Amino acid sequence: MEDFAQISKQRWTAGFIGLSAALMVVLCANIFLGSVKIDFSQAMHIIMSGDDASTLGTILWKIRIPRALASAMGGAYLAIAGLLLQVYFRNPVVGPYILGISSGATLMVSLVMLTSLQLGLTQIAPYLTTLAAFAGAYGVMMLVLAAASRIRQGVTLLILGLMIGYLCHAVTSILVAFAEKEQVKGFVLWQLGSFSGFHQSEIYILFFGGGAVAFGVYLLSKPLNAFLLGEEYAASMGVNIRLFRILILLAACALAGMVTGMAGPVAFIGLAVPHMARLVFRTSDNNVLAPGAALLGAVVTGICDLLARLLFSPVELPISAITAFFGAPIVIGLLLRRRVVS
Amino acid sequence: MSALICIFTAALLLCTGCNSSSEASIQEKHAEKAAPTPASFLALGEFSLEYLDDGYVKVRDGAKREFLLVPCGKPPLEGFPKCRIVETPVRSVAAYGYFDISILKVLGVIDDVLVGVTAPQDEWVIPEVVQGMESGKIAYLGSYNSIDFEVLKKSSPEMVMTWDHSVIPILEDLGIPCLITSTPVAMCLNAKMKFVNFLAPFFGRETEASEYFGQVAGVLQEIAEKAAQTNEHPKVMWGDIYEKRVLVEPGNAWVGELVGLAMGDYVFDDVFGASCIEISMERFLTGGEDAEILFTYRTPLTGATSKEALAKTNPSMSAIQPLHAGKVFAPLPHYAQSGDKLDEILLEIAAIVHPDLYPDYERKYFTELPEKDA
């Protein structure tokens, strides 16, 4: 038994070290590689000197570095959100968008982008799209939390989330049907999801806001582990089930909403990465899985974003297309092999 | 040397125009006593025409499907399904694209054949379409992404010209030939100029098509000759700036080719793909580092009201030179529906690239964005 525990710890340690190293490699690749060639020495000089005024400096400091950080943090948060919801619903195919978060964000963005001409607004204020996405995502989150405080059954809440998503989608579809072509074009671009164009302020929000939530999730690891064994067992261990459910949903929706608000919908990361983490670490212990999924999500999303940028450079591919190629086969394979550990 | 290349390129296009001129000698297909048509082949990018004996024409559309054009009164040839057989001249057509409809105007058939469009009446500036919709002869079929097939069927088009591949199955079920007039990659300059030749056989208007091509080719020659007078190569970019994304016209598009012909330096010449394709912001940024001119499809009606407004849309891209030290041009509302004036549009773009060569030119299709909103 002690040998097994020792082996497990060694595996976890190796996993964390490996993923951390991989993350560093991915971050470096995202910073040093792009459609504009920048020599390593030149890039290092720009980074060390803090030059953000020249064109290459702008590319590094205002385009590549923010994007690399955003994709890593975004992927980490989506993975954590997916993990939380899979534990909460005890369902391996639940993702962070199952509760209507992305649909809510999409609805609000469509309201802003598709109705501005009708309202006589030819210009959308900077960041208004992001703010609208935030409002939509967190608006749906509030609905879900309000429902969660009254609904005990996870399945019912799941269906409620789906219905909220369908309602939002219905309204969005109506808006699209009556929108101007130019507006639809911009809206479709947003729907594709992208870590392009992140501003410094958004990076700070991701880092501090998302980091705080992620840390809070880590503190919930023990109750999460207890919850895995059933609500009754968790309650017997002193967990306030009602409050715990709200906290899980709050954290998951907050993380997913934050990423969606800034990057748009990014598919499959939240769904597939938790399973990948379980395979890597061979455990259902959330003390390990939560940070492990975060690291793995950061790595996978960083790789996907790099591929989206470089495969047909300078043409960019939608990141959700790349993540789908990664995520869908993994989920299908796991389901077929029935190797899902929840 | 580059000037000679421009002249040579223009001459090459004119040579193809000469071939097109010879096609103008083809008799009207509906003439009862037409002489046999010699076989000839015309390729326009993804599109192609193959003139067969006895007035038959084999056509390949943008979706790489083959159609057979059958002269009125003659039997169809074997090997073509019913939905790929079009009797010519086509007497009624529904069309999605502004450019396609403009070409109908060039061919002189817009009043007679156009029965359905996918833009509401208040969006049109082509007089024939406006009048046709007012009189009820031309029906609004619904938005391009939500066609009302009942209205379409009622309009009784003999053919539909569209870019939307998804409507092919239902149109074939309805017994209406569906001609795809777009391709996966942006239309090159040659295809843009000669697209009229692709549509002409459907309506028996080869003469009109050749005249139009000759007119456009003449302007192109004029542009090349003027371009030879200068050694300046202003850098030009053509794209759209969105909040977190940028799109550009690829180098294979007609705009990229034209800029080069006009002795400009198109900065996205290395990009290949569809019209208005998304590229990385860093590539857009470096392309705009020393560019002098930015063309954008975003109109003043949709936010491109000033250089300052564009810069606010995506602050990361505000460093490109056209937004602070160069010039930005946006199309006027009627630009998209002026495909019948391609010669004037080409000339105007050339005049924008090299205003010194066209001192008296007055713009009709583009407006220069002011520094700030009023």
Side-chain angles (χ1 to χ4, degrees):
Chain A
M1 189 62 181
E2 290 183 355
D3 289 342
F4 177 80
Q6 184 65 24
I7 292 174
S8 295
K9 287 185 177 180
Q10 290 175 350
R11 174 189 289 271
W12 301 341
T13 302
F16 281 117
I17 293 175
L19 286 176
S20 298
L23 179 57
M24 293 306 299
V25 171
V26 169
L27 285 173
C28 289
N30 274 299
I31 292 172
F32 292 115
L33 300 177
S35 56
V36 175
K37 185 179 179 181
I38 305 178
D39 295 334
F40 178 80
S41 58
Q42 190 176 19
M44 288 303 298
H45 174 73
I46 292 172
I47 293 173
M48 298 303 292
S49 66
D51 169 31
D52 63 352
S54 66
T55 298
L56 296 183
T58 299
I59 288 174
L60 280 179
W61 283 108
K62 295 186 177 179
I63 297 178
R64 287 190 191 176
I65 291 176
R67 182 164 184 160
L69 295 175
S71 62
M73 289 190 285
Y77 298 156
L78 289 175
I80 293 172
L83 175 67
L84 289 175
L85 293 177
Q86 287 173 12
V87 171
Y88 180 88
F89 289 110
R90 296 186 182 85
N91 189 321
V93 295
V94 168
Y97 297 135
I98 200 71
L99 296 176
I101 298 296
S102 69
S103 299
T106 302
L107 170 58
M108 289 305 295
V109 169
S110 68
L111 279 171
V112 168
M113 299 186 78
L114 303 182
T115 63
S116 57
L117 282 188
Q118 283 76 12
L119 298 175
L121 303 172
T122 58
Q123 296 180 38
I124 297 177
Y127 314 113
L128 187 57
T129 303
T130 301
L131 293 174
F134 264 112
Y138 288 117
V140 171
M141 181 187 77
M142 296 306 295
L143 287 177
V144 170
L145 292 178
S149 64
R150 293 171 174 79
I151 298 173
R152 292 179 57 88
Q153 294 181 349
V155 173
T156 305
L157 188 61
L158 193 62
I159 295 174
L160 178 66
L162 287 171
M163 294 304 107
I164 292 174
Y166 283 130
L167 283 173
C168 293
H169 180 71
V171 177
T172 301
S173 296
I174 293 172
L175 293 173
V176 170
F178 290 98
E180 299 285 343
K181 294 176 185 177
E182 177 73 13
Q183 297 168 308
V184 174
K185 185 177 181 181
F187 178 63
V188 168
L189 286 175
W190 182 86
Q191 278 190 305
L192 294 177
S194 173
F195 290 103
S196 172
F198 262 71
H199 309 288
Q200 191 175 29
S201 57
E202 292 172 315
I203 297 298
Y204 287 150
I205 292 172
L206 275 183
F207 182 78
F208 292 106
V213 176
F215 183 73
V217 169
Y218 182 74
L219 297 180
L220 289 174
S221 296
K222 286 186 177 180
L224 275 172
N225 288 343
F227 196 80
L228 281 174
L229 299 177
E231 290 188 9
E232 292 180 357
Y233 176 80
S236 70
M237 297 297 291
V239 176
N240 184 328
I241 296 298
R242 180 171 178 175
L243 176 61
F244 180 70
R245 285 206 303 253
I246 292 176
L247 288 177
I248 290 181
L249 292 174
L250 176 62
C253 293
L255 292 172
M258 193 176 298
V259 177
T260 305
M262 298 177 183
V266 180
F268 278 97
I269 295 297
L271 180 61
V273 169
H275 295 296
M276 296 168 66
R278 293 185 182 100
L279 288 177
V280 170
F281 292 98
R282 302 282 184 179
T283 183
S284 57
D285 183 352
N286 289 291
N287 283 300
V288 177
L289 275 185
L295 279 174
L296 192 55
V299 171
V300 171
T301 306
I303 292 172
C304 290
D305 192 56
L306 187 65
L307 292 175
R309 288 197 292 126
L310 295 185
L311 276 180
F312 295 96
S313 175
V315 175
E316 285 206 0
L317 300 177
I319 188 171
S320 288
I322 307 296
T323 55
F325 277 116
F326 263 84
I330 291 173
V331 174
I332 293 171
L334 290 174
L335 291 175
L336 291 178
R337 296 176 186 176
R338 296 186 179 181
R339 295 183 63 187
V340 176
V341 179
S342 61
Chain B
M1 183 61 183
S2 55
L4 292 178
I5 293 174
C6 285
I7 296 177
F8 176 78
T9 303
L12 189 62
L13 286 169
L14 286 177
C15 285
T16 60
C18 292
N19 292 333
S20 179
S21 298
S22 67
E23 296 161 8
S25 65
I26 299 173
Q27 298 292 323
E28 293 287 343
K29 297 300 177 294
H30 57 260
E32 293 183 359
K33 299 182 178 180
T37 304
S40 60
F41 184 82
L42 178 64
L44 304 169
E46 299 286 342
F47 306 99
S48 69
L49 295 168
E50 183 178 356
Y51 288 90
L52 308 177
D53 293 336
D54 296 330
Y56 293 90
V57 182
K58 190 159 67 173
V59 172
R60 187 180 71 180
D61 72 351
K64 299 184 179 179
R65 300 176 304 143
E66 287 195 337
F67 290 77
L68 179 69
L69 307 190
V70 180
C72 181
K74 291 191 175 182
L77 303 179
E78 292 184 358
F80 290 87
K82 187 176 181 181
C83 56
R84 303 286 182 83
I85 296 173
V86 178
E87 188 177 81
T88 59
V90 175
R91 293 164 295 186
S92 58
V93 63
Y96 280 46
Y98 291 142
F99 185 64
D100 295 348
I101 293 171
S102 299
I103 295 301
L104 295 181
K105 183 172 180 178
V106 169
L107 297 176
V109 297
I110 188 171
D111 285 328
D112 298 325
V113 305
L114 187 61
V115 296
V117 295
T118 60
Q121 184 173 332
D122 59 1
E123 289 188 12
W124 289 98
V125 298
I126 299 177
E128 292 85 347
V129 178
V130 175
Q131 294 163 12
M133 297 189 82
E134 286 177 347
S135 69
K137 180 178 183 298
I138 299 176
Y140 172 51
L141 304 174
S143 177
Y144 63 90
N145 58 0
S146 57
I147 293 294
D148 187 331
F149 291 101
E150 293 183 15
V151 176
L152 176 67
K153 186 63 177 177
K154 183 181 178 183
S155 302
S156 302
E158 293 181 356
M159 184 175 73
V160 172
M161 300 192 298
T162 179
W163 63 72
D164 187 357
H165 293 222
S166 68
V167 300
I168 292 174
I170 189 170
L171 289 182
E172 291 187 348
D173 282 347
L174 294 175
I176 305 173
C178 174
L179 188 73
I180 300 296
T181 56
S182 65
T183 58
V185 297
M187 195 174 283
C188 66
L189 182 57
N190 183 57
K192 186 80 170 181
M193 294 170 61
K194 302 181 77 172
F195 190 73
V196 64
N197 296 96
F198 173 75
L199 292 184
F202 288 87
F203 308 98
R205 295 299 180 100
E206 285 84 351
T207 300
E208 289 81 354
S210 294
E211 290 174 357
Y212 173 82
F213 174 80
Q215 188 173 335
V216 176
V219 168
L220 209 63
Q221 177 70 15
E222 178 187 344
I223 292 171
E225 290 173 350
K226 281 186 176 291
Q229 300 172 18
T230 180
N231 290 321
E232 299 293 327
H233 298 271
K235 288 182 179 291
V236 178
M237 55 197 309
W238 196 308
D240 288 335
I241 301 174
Y242 287 89
E243 188 171 331
K244 291 188 172 182
R245 325 285 272 269
V246 290
L247 293 82
V248 300
E249 283 289 0
N252 58 286
W254 66 273
V255 294
E257 290 185 72
L258 176 65
V259 167
L261 196 61
M263 204 61 75
D265 182 4
Y266 190 61
V267 298
F268 302 120
D269 196 50
D270 60 321
V271 178
F272 180 87
S275 179
C276 274
I277 192 166
E278 183 181 0
I279 67 168
S280 66
M281 292 211 302
E282 60 187 69
R283 178 67 182 86
F284 192 87
L285 189 64
T286 54
E289 183 177 14
D290 53 357
E292 298 175 45
I293 299 168
L294 166 65
F295 287 92
T296 177
Y297 282 128
R298 304 200 70 178
T299 66
L301 290 177
T302 58
T305 53
S306 68
K307 294 163 70 175
E308 182 185 47
L310 275 184
K312 285 181 177 178
T313 301
N314 191 331
S316 298
M317 295 297 101
S318 61
I320 60 172
Q321 185 164 254
L323 288 181
H324 54 84
K327 296 183 177 181
V328 179
F329 293 88
L332 293 170
H334 63 277
Y335 164 83
Q337 299 178 28
S338 302
D340 58 316
K341 301 296 183 184
L342 181 60
D343 54 334
E344 295 181 6
I345 291 175
L346 298 181
L347 189 64
E348 182 154 324
I349 294 171
I352 290 172
V353 172
H354 274 293
D356 52 309
L357 300 178
Y358 303 86
D360 300 322
Y361 187 86
E362 293 184 8
R363 288 194 300 274
K364 305 174 186 175
Y365 302 99
F366 290 91
T367 180
E368 182 179 352
L369 297 188
E371 297 291 330
K372 296 183 177 182
D373 292 325

